[in-house]
Amino acid sequence: MSNLCKNRTVIITGAGGGLGRAHALAFSAEGARVIVNDINEMAAQTVVEQICDNGGTAKASNFDITNYQACTDAIQDAVVTYGGLHIVVNNAGINRDRMFASMTEDDWDAVIAVHLKGHFCLSSNAVRYWRSQSKAGRTVSGRIINTTSGAGLQGSVGQSNYAAAKAGIVALTLNQAAELARYDVTANAITPAARTGMTKAVAVMAERMKKPDDNRFDYWSADNVSPLLVWLGSEYSAHITGKVFEAEGGKISIADGWRSTEGVDKGDRWQPGEIANVMDQLLAKENPAQPVYGTEWP
């Protein structure tokens, strides 16, 4: 066991399996006290037992991440149990995949609630705690680590609800970083590419990401993503905020965000009939975005 996150307390949502479980084990291995949140209490307890068997400290919690008061109580419980809170990892998520023309209101609401509201409720309460500590003159070293997706960066066919929620999380992260630096709180987002329960449900992804039969590097293992989150949760990352990181296999990169281009300026109001020529000029100088996920599939 190392000490990168020694004496730091982290809440990880959706940590009963998949990426969240990998994050919980990785944080514990670096000395963190881990609150394992999952809607499946038995799954969360199993992860806690594994952490404790390995000599770590952990507690299971099945609070509803979309319920603001439940998140308030979860923050208070962390402070009472471990004397403070340092890191929030917003990881929990669900899928309700449909083509946009067939998507129902329930499909939309469920995904937006778990992903976007879930990120808000827990982070909001954590920030209120950190702000109170800062105003009281106490040292704060707060970390918010949000989970977005390539679907949120460039879209994904059949996942308009999921893509919209994940795009919203990116914007939320940028705002959090800009507003919370005064309290010594950082906010970053991670775009993980790994084999999880959600990817296994999509045939083409399940085949692409399956575990190798031999001893080759398991490129799509969730364990490959977690070290980046552990470092971002440590005290050593205080200078990193407002970034969106992509983690896949052994590769770490930064997602390059939206930027304004040079544009074409007439110096006066454009007439509708003039736009076609302007559009040709704009598109000729454009750096095309990555394709929407699914448009290149057979």
Side-chain angles (χ1 to χ4, degrees), residues 120-259:
F120 164 73
C121 289
L122 189 59
S123 297
S124 172
N125 279 286
V127 167
R128 289 174 183 270
Y129 164 71
W130 289 324
R131 183 179 62 181
S132 70
Q133 294 293 296
S134 177
K135 289 185 175 180
R138 300 187 181 94
T139 300
V140 174
S141 178
R143 304 284 183 268
I144 297 173
I145 304 174
N146 295 325
T147 305
T148 182
S149 166
L153 302 180
Q154 58 238 32
S156 178
V157 170
Q159 293 188 308
S160 56
N161 49 2
Y162 181 80
K166 290 302 191 182
I169 288 168
V170 172
L172 173 65
T173 303
L174 299 181
N175 266 59
Q176 288 173 329
E179 295 178 11
L180 302 178
R182 71 188 71 179
Y183 306 122
D184 293 318
V185 174
T186 68
N188 294 286
I190 180 77
T191 300
R195 185 175 55 250
T196 67
M198 287 195 291
T199 64
K200 291 176 183 177
V202 181
V204 66
M205 296 181 72
E207 176 62 26
R208 180 187 178 203
M209 293 181 165
K210 67 181 181 180
K211 186 175 182 178
D213 296 328
D214 51 27
N215 292 324
R216 288 176 298 161
F217 172 53
D218 186 0
Y219 188 88
W220 298 109
S221 171
D223 296 338
N224 301 332
V225 175
S226 301
L228 173 59
L229 279 83
V230 173
W231 185 83
L232 288 173
S234 75
E235 293 184 345
Y236 302 99
S237 66
H239 60 299
I240 306 295
T241 193
K243 303 297 183 185
V244 178
F245 293 96
E246 297 173 285
E248 174 184 311
K251 179 182 177 182
I252 297 172
S253 58
I254 296 177
D256 195 6
W258 289 99
R259 300 176 184 275

Side-chain angles (χ1 to χ4, degrees), residues 19-295:
L19 281 162
R21 173 183 174 277
H23 300 339
L25 295 173
F27 268 101
S28 176
E30 292 292 337
R33 299 165 297 210
V34 184
I35 294 179
V36 179
N37 163 265
D38 201 280
I39 193 170
N40 184 329
E41 190 172 7
M42 185 175 296
Q45 187 59 43
T46 298
V47 175
V48 167
E49 291 172 2
Q50 185 173 356
I51 289 173
C52 293
D53 287 346
N54 292 334
T57 301
K59 179 178 181 179
S61 179
N62 68 334
F63 67 89
D64 180 356
I65 64 171
T66 68
N67 183 297
Y68 196 86
Q69 183 59 52
C71 290
T72 301
D73 296 341
I75 298 298
Q76 292 175 345
D77 181 59
V79 173
V80 169
T81 303
Y82 296 125
L85 176 69
H86 306 89
I87 311 153
V88 166
V89 176
N90 290 306
N91 167 77
I94 62 169
N95 277 355
R96 295 289 186 272
D97 294 352
R98 290 178 185 269
M99 299 300 282
F100 186 76
S102 302
M103 185 162 291
T104 68
E105 183 179 8
D106 286 344
D107 294 331
W108 180 270
D109 287 348
V111 170
I112 295 298
V114 172
H115 288 276
L116 201 49
K117 186 178 181 183
H119 272 59
F120 164 73
C121 289
L122 189 59
S123 297
S124 172
N125 279 286
V127 167
R128 289 174 183 270
Y129 164 71
W130 289 324
R131 183 179 62 181
S132 70
Q133 294 293 296
S134 177
K135 289 185 175 180
R138 300 187 181 94
T139 300
V140 174
S141 178
R143 304 284 183 268
I144 297 173
I145 304 174
N146 295 325
T147 305
T148 182
S149 166
L153 302 180
Q154 58 238 32
S156 178
V157 170
Q159 293 188 308
S160 56
N161 49 2
Y162 181 80
K166 290 302 191 182
I169 288 168
V170 172
L172 173 65
T173 303
L174 299 181
N175 266 59
Q176 288 173 329
E179 295 178 11
L180 302 178
R182 71 188 71 179
Y183 306 122
D184 293 318
V185 174
T186 68
N188 294 286
I190 180 77
T191 300
R195 185 175 55 250
T196 67
M198 287 195 291
T199 64
K200 291 176 183 177
V202 181
V204 66
M205 296 181 72
E207 176 62 26
R208 180 187 178 203
M209 293 181 165
K210 67 181 181 180
K211 186 175 182 178
D213 296 328
D214 51 27
N215 292 324
R216 288 176 298 161
F217 172 53
D218 186 0
Y219 188 88
W220 298 109
S221 171
D223 296 338
N224 301 332
V225 175
S226 301
L228 173 59
L229 279 83
V230 173
W231 185 83
L232 288 173
S234 75
E235 293 184 345
Y236 302 99
S237 66
H239 60 299
I240 306 295
T241 193
K243 303 297 183 185
V244 178
F245 293 96
E246 297 173 285
E248 174 184 311
K251 179 182 177 182
I252 297 172
S253 58
I254 296 177
D256 195 6
W258 289 99
R259 300 176 184 275
S260 296
T261 60
E262 180 182 356
V264 178
D265 187 357
K266 177 182 177 180
D268 200 353
R269 181 184 303 141
W270 293 99
Q271 297 300 313
E274 299 176 305
I275 298 299
N277 182 53
V278 175
M279 194 60 63
D280 289 341
Q281 295 180 57
L282 290 173
L283 294 176
K285 295 188 291 184
E286 180 195 24
N287 182 19
Q290 292 175 234
V292 172
Y293 282 118
T295 55

